[in-house]
Amino acid sequence: MNADLSASQRLSTLRAMAERDLDILVIGGGITGAGVALDAASRGYRVGLVEQADFASGTSGRSTKLVHGGIRYLPQLDFSLVREALVERARLVANAPHLVRPLPFLVPFYQGLRRPLGIRLPSPGQPLLPLAMNMGLWLYDRLAGRMVLMRHRPVSVAEALHLFPHLRRDGLRRASLYYDAQTDDARLTVAVLRTAAAHGALCINYARATALVREGGRVSGVEVQDQVSGERLRVRARWVVNATGVWAGEVARLAGAGGAIELTLSKGVHLVLPRELVGLGDAALVLPETEDGRLAFVVPWEGRAILGTTDTPYAGSMEDPPVTDDDVAYLLRHARRFLHVELEPGDLVAAYAGLRPLVSSGGRSADISRRHAVVRHEPGFVSIIGGKLTTYRQMAQDVVDLVAREDGTSADGSVRAVGPCRTARLPLVGAQSPGSWPMLVRDAVRAGLSPELAGRLLRRYGSEMERILALIHDDPSLAQPLAPDVPCIGAEVVYACHVTMPVHLEDMMVRRLRLALLEPRAGEQAARSVAALMARALEWPADRMEAELERYRAGSRVAAP
């Protein structure tokens, strides 16, 4: 089936949902909802998905860009959570190698740390710190079992300083190198959605669920309003899945079930810095201790460095969580503690904040487990809450397994027979035929692209890079950068218009191209080029382009310094 999410077919996709009795309607177009749609569609269910804003516009586009087991959960003795995440990490690397790749992490051991990696050691135990930390990393590898990416190894002070020339030397005793993985969270979400579409799922953004429909003592569908046209439609479904993350309580209240969901919201802030300023190469750095006993990271990503994250309770607007001066000061203060660089707020390229929906258990948000929970509110209505990006596939499987069990006990002869979960070994869009990828790079170079640009396109699009090259073949002007010193070309905009359902300029700049995050200072010129390409590809009316430029300037959710 066709995996494309067509922006020009948005409304017709919603109308098709309304004309067809679905098995499962998913509310929420973040990574969790995308995972549920894929799991269900790949088993044979008739699936629809609606998202009130853009895909991955909430938490799923605002993470640290890591796919990881979570070494900080080891001191909490949450071994089963770490094991589950490590297994899912390996599956993602296998199923989406163009989007999820192994990344080395350096952990420096400093004399005098009080709570390294969150481990509380009494003063007499300080000499045992290197042993304790290495034992933790050994356990991390052991929990991964045969799905380990690469095993950790000790690193000398000299090698640590070679990897990170700006690392502080005072008190540095030794270091270790371990491996997790990295991704582009928003692009991963869209890839999962497109894979669901390839299995027959109908997915649409900017469509808000306004009410639940009941028939015969169970939830049987959703009233949906298209946020672009204003059109209201009723979508019928035997099951409605609430996968809305931080909005899960609000959606549950549509069924009068809000009391069954208790979430603690935690704000995570990330700072984007020039990579060369912090001396970052191809490895990430673990800041081994913070004043509140958690970890922070400095991660190389798309030519920049991401410093994050905070973990603080949050009770403000869920639409646009702010990056405060205190958030910036906290992260820069801890980076300066371990890096011999006088980082200041003026050094920031950009900053962004996201909210984590944690299953409430009392205590500090930093101590609350990242486990997920499936809540069955009433017949036909279920919520998936909590969890983390790395374990989205397992979360989705748990939801669809519940639906399959309940369908199996139903006397309704209309229930369709479906197969078992298939997603553990299901490649995502772009992961097909990896053996052909070197040839795609060679074709790109022959078409006049630089080897660096060709490699970046492959890392973003995988086998879909062939479609990018076809666009350039038809229109060579699409090989040009969107603006000087901007690492994106016109063909990426046209491709995204055809297959990823961008509605607004912000969707393209923030989540499809990531330019608002990577190059905000060059954004004005790039934004105008992007808007012009979108106007042509999506056949915008004459005044739409300027309106979109103004909307983007006024409302971009990524903060530039």
Side-chain angles (χ1 to χ4, degrees):
M1 279 194 171
N2 188 354
D4 294 351
L5 301 174
S6 170
S8 62
Q9 299 298 315
R10 275 188 65 260
L11 189 54
S12 62
T13 299
L14 179 57
R15 289 171 177 166
M17 283 189 217
E19 294 167 359
R20 162 186 194 189
D21 286 343
L22 301 175
D23 296 312
I24 296 174
L25 176 64
V26 182
I27 305 175
I31 189 63
T32 305
V36 173
L38 174 56
D39 189 296
S42 64
R43 296 195 203 194
Y45 284 108
R46 295 168 299 210
V47 177
L49 178 145
V50 293
E51 160 59 42
Q52 68 175 345
D54 187 27
F55 302 129
S57 56
T59 304
S60 297
R62 298 161 177 251
S63 75
T64 320
K65 321 304 179 195
L66 299 180
V67 173
H68 63 126
I71 60 170
R72 75 184 188 90
Y73 306 134
L74 292 178
Q76 300 173 13
L77 305 182
D78 202 344
F79 301 142
S80 61
L81 174 63
V82 175
R83 166 66 181 170
E84 177 183 80
L86 290 171
V87 169
E88 294 302 319
R89 178 192 69 180
R91 286 171 172 161
L92 266 170
V93 170
N95 291 338
H98 58 307
L99 288 174
V100 185
R101 293 175 293 277
L103 179 70
F105 287 74
L106 183 81
V107 187
F109 302 156
Y110 283 89
Q111 186 173 2
L113 295 182
R114 295 176 179 271
R115 298 177 62 185
L117 304 186
I119 303 171
R120 288 182 171 88
L121 286 178
S123 296
Q126 291 293 322
L128 300 177
L129 170 61
L131 177 61
M133 294 180 74
N134 274 316
M135 284 294 292
L137 294 176
W138 174 85
L139 179 60
Y140 199 60
D141 291 343
R142 292 288 294 178
L143 287 170
R146 63 183 178 82
M147 304 183 87
V148 67
L149 299 179
M150 291 182 68
R151 299 196 180 278
H152 87 281
R153 64 179 178 87
V155 170
S156 68
V157 170
E159 186 178 355
L161 293 172
H162 176 74
L163 288 170
F164 292 92
H166 297 328
L167 195 63
R168 287 199 177 272
R169 305 184 182 199
D170 296 345
L172 180 60
R173 298 171 62 180
R174 53 183 300 182
S176 285
L177 205 65
Y178 76 95
Y179 289 81
D180 263 319
Q182 183 178 57
T183 190
D184 182 322
D185 46 10
R187 298 186 66 81
L188 177 65
T189 300
V190 171
V192 175
L193 285 164
R194 291 189 60 214
T195 310
H199 287 84
L202 300 173
C203 305
I204 180 174
N205 55 7
Y206 292 98
R208 184 182 182 88
T210 58
L212 298 182
V213 178
R214 286 186 178 81
E215 293 178 3
R218 66 177 290 139
V219 171
S220 60
V222 176
E223 298 281 354
V224 178
Q225 180 177 19
D226 179 31
Q227 300 288 78
V228 179
S229 68
E231 184 169 345
R232 294 176 180 268
L233 296 168
R234 176 172 291 188
V235 179
R236 296 173 53 85
R238 290 189 304 104
W239 285 92
V240 175
V241 176
N242 172 16
T244 54
V246 297
W247 286 273
E250 291 188 2
V251 173
R253 280 190 286 276
L254 296 177
I261 290 183
E262 294 185 15
L263 294 177
T264 295
L265 300 187
S266 169
K267 186 176 76 169
V269 170
H270 300 81
L271 310 182
V272 182
L273 295 161
R275 190 164 171 173
E276 62 277 6
L277 180 64
V278 294
L280 210 57
D282 296 326
L285 175 67
V286 179
L287 305 184
E289 182 183 68
T290 60
E291 59 203 29
D292 53 359
R294 64 185 317 278
L295 300 183
F297 301 92
V298 185
V299 180
W301 188 71
E302 293 278 358
R304 297 297 191 184
I306 294 178
L307 169 61
T309 177
T310 60
D311 195 340
T312 54
Y314 183 78
S317 169
M318 293 185 291
E319 296 287 343
D320 193 11
V323 177
T324 67
D325 291 343
D326 286 345
D327 295 326
V328 173
Y330 170 93
L331 289 170
L332 294 183
R333 181 168 67 252
H334 288 94
R336 287 193 296 263
R337 181 179 171 190
F338 297 103
L339 290 172
H340 195 64
V341 181
E342 290 303 316
L343 297 172
E344 300 295 341
D347 295 321
L348 270 60
V349 173
Y352 61 96
L355 300 178
R356 306 179 190 90
L358 310 178
V359 180
S360 185
S361 62
R364 300 184 319 144
S365 62
D367 296 330
I368 297 176
S369 173
R370 267 49 176 177
R371 289 188 177 278
H372 63 274
V374 180
V375 181
R376 181 189 179 279
H377 302 286
E378 57 181 299
F381 184 49
V382 61
S383 293
I384 173 69
I385 57 177
K388 50 187 282 189
L389 181 147
T390 304
T391 58
Y392 84 87
R393 193 212 63 82
Q394 183 63 57
M395 295 164 66
Q397 179 180 339
D398 290 349
V399 172
V400 184
D401 281 350
L402 181 148
V403 170
R405 286 194 302 270
E406 297 228 358
D407 279 353
T409 60
S410 172
D412 182 355
S414 68
V415 173
R416 305 174 67 195
V418 297
C421 177
R422 297 176 52 200
T423 55
R425 294 181 176 83
L426 184 65
L428 300 185
V429 165
Q432 294 78 15
S433 306
S436 68
W437 291 0
M439 182 61 73
L440 288 176
V441 173
R442 287 194 290 270
D443 290 345
V445 173
R446 288 172 184 155
L449 303 183
S450 69
E452 181 182 25
L453 176 58
R456 189 187 66 78
L457 291 174
L458 183 68
R459 290 190 297 273
R460 284 192 166 199
Y461 303 101
S463 58
E464 292 278 285
M465 180 177 167
E466 184 174 5
R467 299 179 67 172
I468 301 283
L469 297 180
L471 290 169
I472 294 172
H473 180 269
D474 293 341
D475 182 356
S477 71
L478 294 178
Q480 297 302 311
L482 295 169
D485 300 321
V486 167
C488 295
I489 60 175
E492 295 179 76
V493 178
V494 177
Y495 165 85
C497 287
H498 291 166
V499 307
T500 69
M501 201 176 283
V503 172
H504 296 293
L505 176 61
E506 176 190 343
D507 304 335
M508 188 72 74
M509 293 292 291
V510 177
R511 286 169 292 278
R512 305 303 188 275
L513 302 178
R514 307 306 238 164
L515 287 179
L517 201 63
L518 300 170
E519 300 287 348
R521 292 186 175 96
E524 174 61 24
Q525 185 175 351
R528 183 163 290 278
S529 298
V530 171
L533 289 166
M534 292 182 72
R536 185 173 65 183
L538 301 178
E539 298 182 349
W540 283 349
D543 59 347
R544 175 75 180 272
M545 178 175 153
E546 290 301 327
E548 285 292 332
L549 282 164
E550 183 59 32
R551 184 182 189 274
Y552 173 65
R553 295 186 196 108
S556 177
R557 296 182 184 181
V558 176

